Amino acid sequence: MPFLTRVLPSFLVSWLLTFTLASLFHSQYVVNQLVDVGVVVRLSDRINLTLDDWLGLLPTYGAIIAIALAIAFLVTAKLIKKVKQYNVALFIAAGIAALAVVLIAIESIMNIHIIAGARGWGFYMQLLAGAVGGYTFSHLIKTANNPKSEMCEYK
């Protein structure tokens, strides 16, 4: 039962945060490219585009991110048994690696940037989303495994 009560909720929260940030970064990159060529984009349009992108990318990019993070976090969990003191850094690296592999593999296989917001500096923003997801998973899993010791630290 530890998987259902500790690992799965931690994974779902970190995946949702990673996907949401990746989608947000993608949307804003695309909007900024439009603004750079002179298109006027109102705040309401930015918000609507961001929400539409989130819903539109969820079944595809969201699923791809979930699979990539699951593989990366599983490998990292195995590795952490050998090097415990670096668990936060390893999960951050795993999140970055997961998104890097996804984006590079998609571009290599299809020879296109399927995520338009992953071009130029947008690529690094996608990696930042992976890093945040890895950090979040590391923190949540630590809290789930030691709830009493975490509560003492915050008092």
Side-chain angles (χ1 to χ4, degrees), residues 76-145:
T76 303
K78 300 285 185 192
L79 183 61
I80 283 177
K81 291 179 181 176
K82 296 181 190 321
V83 283
K84 293 181 189 214
Q85 71 265 26
Y86 300 112
N87 65 348
V88 174
L90 288 173
F91 276 114
I92 291 170
I96 292 168
L99 265 74
V101 166
V102 162
L103 294 171
I104 291 169
I106 289 173
E107 201 238 332
S108 296
I109 292 167
M110 302 179 121
N111 205 21
I112 59 168
H113 289 280
I114 198 161
I115 303 298
R119 297 182 187 131
W121 61 266
F123 177 79
Y124 300 105
M125 297 306 291
Q126 296 295 306
L127 299 186
L128 176 62
V132 170
Y135 174 80
T136 302
F137 184 75
S138 171
H139 179 72
L140 291 175
I141 206 72
K142 183 174 81 171
T143 304
N145 288 334

Side-chain angles (χ1 to χ4, degrees), residues 15-65:
W15 162 75
L16 185 60
L17 179 60
T18 302
F19 169 70
T20 298
L21 287 173
S23 176
L24 174 71
F25 294 154
H26 156 74
S27 299
Q28 296 314 304
Y29 180 88
V30 170
V31 169
N32 286 335
Q33 295 299 308
L34 291 171
V35 169
D36 286 348
V37 295
V39 176
V40 176
V41 182
R42 297 183 324 236
L43 178 62
S44 62
D45 293 331
R46 278 185 184 260
I47 293 169
N48 286 333
L49 175 70
T50 301
L51 293 174
D52 287 345
D53 279 349
W54 192 91
L55 289 171
L57 290 171
L58 183 60
T60 52
Y61 194 43
I64 291 168
I65 289 173

